[in-house]
Amino acid sequence: MKMLKGVIHNLATLCTTGTPNRARSAGTKLLFSEETAEALLLSKARAFCNSTDLPKNEAEAINHENTFREAGKIRTSFDFKSYMLQKIKSVNQALDAAVPIREPIKFHEAMRYSLLSEGKRVCPLLCIAACELVGGQESTAMPAACGMEMIISMCLMHDDLPSMDNSDLRRGKLSHHKVFGENVTVLTGYSLVALAFEHMTAATKGVHPKTMVRAVGELAKLIGPEGAVAGQVLDLLCGGKSDTGLEELEYIHRHKTADFIEAAAIVGAMLGGASEEEIDRLRKFSQCFGLMYQVVDDILDVTKSSEQLGKTGGKDSLDNKLTYPKMIGIDKSKEYAQKLSKEAKEQLVVFDTEKAAPLLAMADFALHRQK
């Protein structure tokens, strides 16, 4: 047992040396954050301690230490900030090409207004990273990544409508309906959803038709009446009610937000040729990641200004919406977000550490983001 503690300590040191608090600044050169290192090592430590064959597992733990030491020489070159900026640039270029200016010009300008506005591109990046994690290429996942962003843009546009959240700001500029009118916003949203599926199926190359059909079905299910729409509907129905609890709140967040994250990761993994076990692990990862992302959103809504967020701050409180800070307080909400981030990362321990680095870094980024 003494040897185990020494091995685990050395592994943690290898994973975090030279990168104190790097996740909080969204990072340049990355080994792993302290939270990520703990998540990666926890399952190994637990398996070791639960086993009666301690000599065998001690040897395995030592082997893991040597593996991490060698991998650490490579991982120090991973620069998450550069990775994120490069991927966002690629996604933006692909989106620009997918929705060119053409007749009717005014309507296509309306489609491009929200779609090409400055955003974090979390779902497209997750789609690409999941595809690359299982051995696929960025080019294979890019049409689906663009399709995800088209669907996300539609949802944000419709969320901001007066009949929904009634927000005037989105991504640092006027909401779509404040510029083009409510009627055009509704029609633009319809068009973006249709284009998302058309682009995904027409532009994706080198994927078996059965895999494509499955990926399309997965995406449609997760954004439909049993997925994201269900969460949005319950969010509208529960606003202002005093008899709703944590179970309803988790249902809303898991569907309204986490289902988009799940769709991005699972579609990317399918297109990359993932096995069923890999899909299952990425499903669990994305579900925890997505719920964590929305919990952080809840926290930011009450701790940041509209200028800092690029959208209307304090809107949830004004609309009496169900949020985690409202239900359990800010401190416990932060603890819950950290717990979810840790659980998400634990699902990635079986993958190649270098290929998993972008997803691990994205989880840190989402947890510690400031807008």
Side-chain angles (χ1 to χ4, degrees):
M1 191 58 65
K2 183 178 180 181
M3 183 179 289
L4 166 66
K5 291 180 180 178
V7 169
I8 297 302
H9 171 75
N10 290 342
L11 283 170
T13 301
L14 284 167
C15 290
T16 58
T17 298
T19 56
N21 298 321
R22 62 135 309 274
R24 290 161 180 76
S25 63
T28 51
K29 297 228 170 161
L30 168 69
L31 282 172
F32 290 122
S33 70
E34 293 174 7
E35 299 101 319
T36 299
E38 183 180 355
L40 286 169
L41 301 177
L42 184 62
S43 62
K44 295 178 177 61
R46 185 183 294 118
F48 184 102
C49 293
N50 288 340
S51 174
T52 57
D53 192 355
L54 291 180
K56 177 182 177 182
N57 263 348
E58 280 194 335
E60 290 179 356
I62 293 169
N63 182 56
H64 280 306
E65 179 182 353
N66 292 332
T67 300
F68 267 66
R69 179 177 283 112
E70 290 304 311
K73 296 175 183 177
I74 301 173
R75 280 199 304 277
T76 54
S77 65
F78 181 75
D79 184 336
F80 176 60
K81 185 176 180 180
S82 294
Y83 172 90
M84 182 174 65
L85 292 175
Q86 184 272 316
K87 294 297 186 186
I88 289 176
K89 181 179 179 180
S90 296
V91 170
N92 287 342
Q93 289 174 342
L95 288 170
D96 183 49
V99 189
I101 292 291
R102 56 188 175 190
E103 295 292 343
I105 292 177
K106 190 67 176 178
F107 188 68
H108 282 86
E109 288 176 345
M111 291 177 68
R112 290 166 60 88
Y113 177 80
S114 293
L115 183 64
L116 298 181
S117 63
E118 183 178 343
K120 293 181 281 292
R121 307 291 190 234
V122 173
C123 283
L125 263 62
L126 280 170
C127 184
I128 293 169
C131 182
E132 293 178 332
L133 175 69
V134 298
Q137 302 295 317
E138 176 186 300
S139 58
T140 303
M142 186 60 77
C146 290
M148 284 300 312
E149 190 63 26
M150 292 174 192
I151 294 170
I152 292 290
S153 295
M154 176 278 294
C155 290
L156 297 179
M157 289 159 51
H158 285 185
D159 279 354
D160 291 339
L161 287 168
S163 59
M164 301 284 278
D165 288 346
N166 193 25
S167 295
D168 293 343
L169 292 174
R170 176 67 67 177
R171 291 177 172 174
K173 60 183 185 179
L174 287 175
S175 297
H176 194 277
H177 68 278
K178 302 297 290 186
V179 177
F180 297 96
E182 295 175 38
N183 52 358
V184 173
T185 295
V186 171
L187 294 172
T188 301
Y190 292 160
S191 296
L192 284 173
V193 172
L195 181 59
F197 286 101
E198 177 190 348
H199 186 68
M200 176 179 170
T201 53
T204 302
K205 306 298 181 184
V207 175
H208 194 281
K210 288 185 178 179
T211 301
M212 179 58 68
V213 169
R214 185 183 178 190
V216 168
E218 184 77 21
L219 177 55
K221 178 182 177 181
L222 287 168
I223 68 170
E226 296 180 7
V229 172
Q232 184 67 58
V233 169
L234 190 59
D235 187 32
L236 291 171
L237 295 176
C238 288
K241 291 186 177 181
S242 59
D243 59 345
T244 50
L246 283 173
E247 186 176 347
E248 289 85 358
L249 176 58
E250 182 167 325
Y251 180 92
I252 291 169
H253 282 9
R254 281 197 180 278
H255 289 285
K256 189 175 75 168
T257 301
D259 279 355
F260 283 111
I261 300 294
E262 182 180 346
I266 298 305
V267 168
M270 287 179 176
L271 297 179
S275 67
E276 293 303 316
E277 180 184 354
E278 290 171 331
I279 289 172
D280 184 57
R281 282 192 168 272
L282 281 167
R283 193 179 298 281
K284 293 173 183 175
F285 164 82
S286 57
Q287 287 170 347
C288 291
F289 182 109
L291 183 55
M292 176 266 290
Y293 193 92
Q294 186 57 50
V295 173
V296 173
D297 244 23
D298 286 356
I299 295 169
L300 294 175
D301 187 71
V302 297
T303 59
K304 300 295 180 180
S305 67
S306 298
E307 290 74 21
Q308 290 171 311
L309 293 174
K311 60 181 181 180
T312 307
K315 197 73 172 58
D316 292 337
S317 298
L318 291 173
D319 294 341
N320 203 19
K321 289 285 188 73
L322 282 177
T323 66
Y324 275 94
K326 181 179 178 180
M327 297 288 287
I328 63 176
I330 291 179
D331 289 340
K332 288 188 177 180
S333 296
K334 290 180 178 179
E335 290 175 6
Y336 187 42
Q338 291 171 348
K339 177 177 179 290
L340 289 166
S341 177
K342 183 177 177 181
E343 290 175 356
K345 294 171 187 174
E346 287 176 357
Q347 296 302 319
L348 302 179
V349 296
V350 301
F351 294 99
D352 177 88
T353 50
E354 187 175 2
K355 289 184 178 179
L359 289 175
L360 291 166
M362 272 187 251
D364 284 336
F365 170 78
L367 178 63
H368 298 295
R369 64 196 171 93
Q370 298 300 307
K371 65 177 183 177

